[in-house]
Amino acid sequence: MGKLIKMDFYRLFQSKTFWISAAVMFFLQGITSFSMPILQKNLLKFASVPAENASEMLDTKLSEIFSSPMMSFFMLIMFISATTFLFADIRDGYVKNFVGQIARKGYSAISKFIVVCVHNAFFMLLALSGNILGVLLCPDSSLIVDSAVGSGIVVFFVKLLLSFAMTSIILFLTTGLRNKTLASVVGVLFSVSALGLLYMALNQLLSMVGIKNFDVSNFAPDQLFNSQFDTAAIGAVINAIIVSVVFIGVFVGLTVAIFNKRDVK
């Protein structure tokens, strides 16, 4: 397993898509954080908001950056990179060169998931850094180190875990089902929160069969990722962690089971 993980890290770090995606992510997140206060300042000036009030409104709390390190749409960049990495060994056909040399073929899927989790952590930290740098460089905004930074860090790790859950679905589609196109579509849907309409339809269906006051979106990683967590309401945090662990367990387990039974071509 150790050699597999080492090999997958080598593949990841040799990927041009990975480095280009990371650079684009950092630049876009940084330029967004830099330009938003400038845009807001002009809008507030147009609305005739007093300068002293506008200044406070333009300041950015560090806890808020930790709580929302990555814009939802920018997850698309991370998922494109992840999908490319997860499917590369199957696309190029070299997976068959090493799976016969390991005790169980499914170890390859576990190895890829471990590496893609590090991949996600790298992207999330990069987005966080771009956010902070953009605010620091912006002449119209100040970075405020507030008392809620600890809570923000907790939310950051919860959202990182939710990103692992979403990527476990992409792992299942790319490695288990060998369908990069479907994995890419799902990554786009996660990024733009387009599945919200599906969850609303499921809620209506459940309501029709007598299951009331049940919201599917409370158990969907993509919807939870975009939620505003209050660590004082610990139940929501625990729910997000449980949802993440269940999704990871189910989809990584399914991928391993399918990969173990399927002939590698």
Side-chain angles (χ1 to χ4, degrees):
M1 178 64 78
K3 291 182 178 179
L4 276 176
I5 294 173
K6 183 178 179 180
M7 181 192 69
D8 282 330
F9 270 121
Y10 177 81
R11 288 200 302 111
L12 178 65
F13 295 145
Q14 291 297 310
S15 170
K16 291 181 180 179
T17 301
F18 170 69
W19 292 111
I20 292 173
S21 299
V24 170
M25 163 71 75
F26 181 77
F27 174 77
L28 290 179
Q29 197 70 68
I31 199 68
T32 300
S33 296
F34 176 85
S35 59
M36 283 303 293
I38 297 175
L39 177 60
Q40 290 174 344
K41 181 180 180 180
N42 290 326
L43 291 174
L44 291 172
K45 187 181 296 184
F46 179 77
S48 301
V49 176
E52 58 274 14
N53 294 339
S55 178
E56 294 181 4
M57 295 172 68
L58 294 174
D59 289 340
T60 303
K61 296 180 180 179
L62 184 59
S63 62
E64 294 176 351
I65 295 180
F66 272 107
S67 298
S68 300
M70 180 187 296
M71 290 181 63
S72 176
F73 182 75
F74 290 168
M75 283 199 300
L76 176 60
I77 302 172
M78 181 175 73
F79 287 142
I80 288 173
S81 177
T83 300
T84 301
F85 164 72
L86 291 170
F87 194 71
D89 57 345
I90 297 173
R91 178 197 64 202
D92 297 334
Y94 59 79
V95 63
K96 61 187 177 184
N97 295 332
F98 63 84
V99 293
Q101 303 175 27
I102 56 180
R104 294 179 65 84
K105 291 182 291 185
Y107 288 167
S108 174
I110 296 174
S111 172
K112 288 201 289 186
F113 181 69
I114 291 172
V115 173
V116 85
C117 284
V118 176
H119 163 282
N120 284 12
F122 178 75
F123 270 80
M124 292 278 283
L125 288 171
L126 203 61
L128 180 72
S129 301
N131 256 321
I132 293 174
L133 182 62
V135 173
L136 290 175
L137 293 178
C138 181
D140 294 326
S141 180
S142 298
L143 183 64
I144 307 299
V145 181
D146 58 308
S147 59
V149 170
S151 297
I153 293 174
V154 171
V155 174
F156 174 84
F157 281 106
V158 170
K159 292 195 172 185
L160 179 60
L161 190 59
L162 288 166
S163 82
F164 295 166
M166 288 183 278
T167 308
S168 70
I169 299 173
I170 294 175
L171 172 76
F172 171 70
L173 297 173
T174 53
T175 303
L177 301 186
R178 298 184 181 182
N179 193 326
K180 183 181 179 182
T181 301
L182 181 57
S184 299
V185 170
V186 169
V188 172
L189 295 176
F190 282 156
S191 303
V192 299
S193 299
L195 293 174
L197 294 175
L198 174 62
Y199 302 141
M200 289 175 62
L202 289 174
N203 288 338
Q204 289 295 325
L205 182 62
L206 291 172
S207 179
M208 290 172 61
V209 299
I211 302 177
K212 307 289 186 179
N213 301 319
F214 184 86
D215 190 351
V216 175
S217 62
N218 289 333
F219 306 94
D222 58 314
Q223 299 298 302
L224 291 172
F225 187 92
N226 294 316
S227 299
Q228 296 296 321
F229 288 96
D230 181 4
T231 54
I234 192 66
V237 174
I238 293 175
N239 174 69
I241 292 173
I242 293 173
V243 167
S244 299
V245 171
V246 169
F247 268 81
I248 291 169
V250 169
F251 283 98
V252 174
L254 283 173
T255 305
V256 170
I258 292 173
F259 204 74
N260 276 330
K261 294 179 179 180
R262 175 175 285 172
D263 291 333
V264 178
K265 300 179 181 180

